[in-house]
Amino acid sequence: MDESVKKNQQNISFKDTLNLPKTDFPIRPNAAIHDPALIQRWEQEKLYSHSFNHNKESEKFIFHDGPPYANGPIHTGSAYNKILKDIVTKAQRMMGKHVPITPGWDCHGLPIEIKVTQEQPGLAGAQLKKACRAYAQKWIDIQRQEFKRLGIIMDWDRPYTTMSPSYQASIIRSFGIFVSQGLIERKNKTVPWCLHCQTVLASAEIEYQDRKDPSVYVLFPLQEDVVYQCIPKCKGKQVSLVVWTTTPWTLPLNQAVLLKPNTRYVVLDVHNQYVVVAESLADTFCAMMDVPKEVIASFLSDVLVRSSEVTQYLSENMITGDVLAHHPFIEDKLVPILLDDSVMIEEGTACVHCAPGAGPIDYEVGIKNNLPIYSPVSPAGIYTADVLPRELRGMPVTEGQWWVLKKLKENNRLLHKTSITHSYPHCWRCHNGLIFRATKQWFFDLEKNNIKEKATYATYSIKAFPEKSINRLRAMVEGRLEWCLSRQRSWGVSIPAVVCVSCDTPYYNQALANRVADQVAVHGIEWWDNASIEEIMPEGFACKQCGSTHAIKEKDILDVWFDSGISHYAVLEQNPELGIPADLYLEGSDQHRGWFQSSLLTSIAMHGQAPMKQLYTHGFVVDEKGHKMSKSLGNVIAPSELIDRLGTDGLRMWAASIDSSSEAILSTIVLNNVQEVFRKVRNTLRFLLSNLYDFDASKDSVSLDQLLLIDKYALQELYEINEKIIALYQSYNTSGVFHVLGEYCATALSALYLDISKDRLYVEKATGHQRRSAQTAYYYILDTLTRLIAPIMSFTAEQVSDLYQDNKRVSIHMQSFATLATMHNITLPKNRTNNSNHTWHIIHTMRDAILKALEEKREIGLIKHPLEARVTLYSDPADPHHDTILYVYSYIESFGQTVEQFIREFAIVSQVIIAQQKNENMIESPLCKGLYIEVEHAYGVKCPRCWQWDEQPQEHNLCRRCYTVLQK
């Protein structure tokens, strides 16, 4: 080349002649500035209230928001939960449905009461409730702003709260409805009790943790006359039942020893003491005691109960009562020996200590056998004045544990002591171990009216996500007999009942509940504390049991799960825009024992059906080691920290990325992956926007049938992606949406279509058909993609739509997903029946074959870039694949392009030749059978404007295309 030509070429810049991309959409998000500005705009546009009525004439999708607790700032788990709810409901709204959402808060309960009493000691009654109400309202206001900061769209100005007077009245009316159905009763029963919180716990509030406890083997000596009659081989000897227990503090409460019915027991000689254990456990027992197994006698358990022979013997010897054993340390106390199937023979001795006032199974046994339900233990876990021995009076049961062990040892009744680590019930609030104690409590009878059976049956009609998660709810319902409703606290809804001072008989009915509810609806639950008995009770009240006219108000409150559980009645049924059953309840997996269950049980009793059609359950937020986020572990990450790192939409993408069937992992690897996908999607949107700066869709769009083939194919792919993602939204598969969006932007767009088409956008005439064809496709892709990401990347979608939607009137969140029906199979040529996807699969295979051949030449230095390549293709007519390749060529040509033009753009090379004859340099591709490829360096000169090579360069070495464009 002449040096003057080279110099001239180098001195001329054609940059200003290119249609280079430009946009105001920033490369990186500035969530700290832009997101609050959008939230303020949404407030001004009344987006939250408009969302409640949007698509009002369309099909409803009723989502019921489970109430978070109004105590402290939101944490990552609550952010994760609310974001999932927002994604699901935004998607449903964008499918054209009416999605009215009333957010809610759970306001009653122990944590708030404890916090308030710590901050304001000495408060009680109505004053304490008033302070708790103010405390809860403070956190409702804070949490509401925090949820808005996450981009959550709900009707924030009209939430439901369980502490509002109207809701509290609904709680009381619900209680009255259940009373009218005979489902409510007050009775003395042994219940799980937290000494620290000083309240009863429902089974749903118990969590099990491993704990180390003493494991002791205690001697209960049989009466001498009983041994003589029942075990004659041991007459004259002291024979003792060996009772195994891990709760020595309950031994003062013992009322019986239980044996397994129709089971063989043996008398063993252990250190010169005759002791009784189950025969099947004798070997294990002797090994533990490190003694040889020496069986003195054997007998069936049934001989130690009131058989005719035993009865006759006892009568003849003037022994009254049952077959008895001596209590191990309470002087002169004898306890009966009973048979019960609850006795297990897998461990211990199969001689079981029974204290009906200190164990749930023992309680059942006690009721069956008329044993005293004896529980001399205070709410704080202190032995009361009724306890024996008297030395225990005023002693905490935690100290009584060791007192009992010492006393057993002094009395030679402690045969063996070791320790055991076992699963033990703990309080879900304070995480301390529980005890069981008998108290007067209020119960919801789940056996009555077949409530449990109906609830179990209803679970089969609920569609669950994940599908297997319903099994947990079903198992928890099946495992319950009753629901303990009462709690011994102040901050909550008082049980509408009075109790006779003389005989402790309760008075309660639906009329009383409704009368109380009427007042509470006006004055709040504080009315109950301030009202006199005369204001509460009907005129002329007298106890039906004893006739007394003196009564006191019930002090207990209702379980908070009852409060939130009747939200289907207090919220869904009371609002005409909502309704029951809801289409969806969505909460964490812990709600199978909480809100899901309480909602199901109360709805079955009240409505005869489940309150929800579908249940979506997600896991807990855990760290990279699988540990649940905990302040004590120091692994807590606040939502604000994640927003600082990822941006608000980045946090939302993390929530969307989690597979709901597993725990939500917060780790560096996971967050880096989310950041990468977020960056790829955002950059894709930015690239699309930057090439539409001079495009007016209403004027410049090319009709679908006039688009270039590659652009048509891109829209066909867009149609399929749109359908796929909407289907994923419909099945609440946010993780699937996350992965499909990421893959589509990274592969189908960035790595293929956008890379292929940008040459036309930059180089072709600004208003020419080839560029407008690409811009038309870009616009459809941008619009569709922006709508698809809106439920997840809510801030990004709003910002992008502001830039490309001319005269935008409503938020992207009040718009629908794109309708692309006209794009379906737009790349199918007329009168062809061949599958378009199969054809494009072959085209992609040919491209892969060309790229592989190009890479091989790049590795040896022949070319540095694909645009430096000249590609020659040949297909042998004798090859069985020849017809397939010819069909692809004819397919391309049917859209008005030559094969050479199409492949040159599709493979991003400068020159393509379709050869009619094969030469010795052509090699059959291993990727595409029947296709022979030769790669050479491109002929001619590199164009300084588009960098493609041309054998017939024009002025300034411009290629013929660029020269023509610049002449127009």
Side-chain angles (χ1 to χ4, degrees), residues 482-519:
E482 56 192 9
W483 175 4
C484 184
L485 293 179
S486 47
R487 296 294 181 272
Q488 290 66 50
R489 305 305 304 182
S490 296
W491 177 226
V493 174
S494 304
I495 294 174
V498 298
V499 180
C500 176
V501 173
S502 300
C503 67
D504 197 42
T505 298
Y507 174 85
Y508 59 103
N509 54 44
Q510 187 174 17
L512 174 61
N514 289 341
R515 189 159 57 249
V516 172
D518 289 342
Q519 296 299 322

Side-chain angles (χ1 to χ4, degrees), residues 767-781:
T767 59
H769 176 78
Q770 293 209 31
R771 184 164 181 266
R772 290 303 194 205
S773 176
Q775 285 184 307
T776 301
Y778 272 40
Y779 183 86
Y780 277 118
I781 294 170

Side-chain angles (χ1 to χ4, degrees), residues 330-571:
I330 299 179
E331 191 174 354
D332 299 327
K333 182 172 182 178
L334 296 168
V335 296
I337 300 168
L338 304 173
L339 300 182
D340 196 82
D341 286 322
S342 65
V343 176
M344 308 301 291
I345 57 172
E346 285 75 26
E347 58 182 348
T349 62
C351 301
V352 175
H353 148 57
C354 179
I361 297 176
D362 297 22
Y363 171 82
E364 301 293 340
V365 173
I367 293 295
K368 285 191 296 184
N369 293 278
N370 295 315
L371 297 175
I373 310 300
Y374 176 62
S375 184
V377 178
S378 75
I382 308 295
Y383 289 114
T384 65
D386 298 332
V387 73
L388 292 174
R390 297 183 184 277
E391 297 96 310
L392 290 170
R393 294 178 180 180
M395 184 183 296
V397 296
T398 50
E399 295 179 21
Q401 186 99 311
W402 308 111
W403 184 95
V404 167
L405 292 175
K406 182 179 177 182
K407 192 69 173 178
L408 288 170
K409 195 170 183 180
E410 290 175 359
N411 284 14
N412 293 318
R413 295 292 183 259
L414 183 60
L415 181 66
H416 184 70
K417 176 185 176 296
T418 182
S419 61
I420 185 174
T421 299
H422 60 154
S423 181
Y424 190 83
H426 285 68
C427 175
W428 74 297
R429 296 184 185 93
C430 67
H431 308 295
N432 288 296
L434 305 177
I435 65 170
F436 287 84
R437 64 186 289 261
T439 62
K440 289 285 181 68
Q441 301 290 340
W442 292 84
F443 293 90
F444 188 126
D445 188 349
L446 302 178
E447 296 287 302
K448 192 93 178 266
N449 298 345
N450 297 318
I451 298 297
K452 183 178 76 169
E453 181 182 340
K454 292 174 183 176
T456 302
Y457 180 76
T459 61
Y460 289 94
S461 65
I462 299 171
K463 189 173 184 180
F465 305 87
E467 187 176 352
K468 291 183 179 179
S469 63
I470 197 68
N471 295 335
R472 187 178 184 205
L473 176 61
R474 187 176 300 131
M476 288 192 167
V477 171
E478 288 176 333
R480 297 186 73 173
L481 296 175
E482 56 192 9
W483 175 4
C484 184
L485 293 179
S486 47
R487 296 294 181 272
Q488 290 66 50
R489 305 305 304 182
S490 296
W491 177 226
V493 174
S494 304
I495 294 174
V498 298
V499 180
C500 176
V501 173
S502 300
C503 67
D504 197 42
T505 298
Y507 174 85
Y508 59 103
N509 54 44
Q510 187 174 17
L512 174 61
N514 289 341
R515 189 159 57 249
V516 172
D518 289 342
Q519 296 299 322
V520 169
V522 177
H523 305 289
I525 197 60
E526 292 86 340
W527 177 85
W528 179 260
D529 295 271
N530 296 324
S532 65
I533 285 291
E534 289 72 25
E535 292 177 271
I536 294 171
M537 299 305 295
E539 188 175 349
F541 164 76
C543 176
K544 292 182 180 179
Q545 187 71 22
C546 69
S548 172
T549 57
H550 298 290
I552 58 172
K553 291 177 284 186
E554 173 61 66
K555 295 180 180 179
D556 288 353
I557 63 171
L558 286 163
D559 176 16
V560 291
W561 291 119
F562 186 89
D563 296 359
S564 59
I566 62 94
S567 60
H568 53 79
Y569 170 70
V571 180

Side-chain angles (χ1 to χ4, degrees), residues 850 853-854 857 862-863 869-872 933-937:
I850 294 170
L854 291 171
K857 298 302 181 182
L862 179 66
I863 60 173
R870 175 187 179 94
V871 176
T872 302
I933 304 174
E934 179 187 12
V935 175
E936 306 170 85
H937 193 286

Side-chain angles (χ1 to χ4, degrees), residues 34 57 80 122 161 230 264 307 309-310 348 366 414 463 514 566 610 646 796 884 895 914-915 925 941 961:
H34 296 150
E57 303 305 318
Y80 172 47
T161 67
C230 300
R264 187 156 293 279
S307 67
E309 294 179 359
V310 173
L414 183 60
K463 189 173 184 180
N514 289 341
I566 62 94
L646 304 172
T796 304
T884 300
F895 288 92
I914 304 299
S925 170
V941 177
R961 177 184 62 162

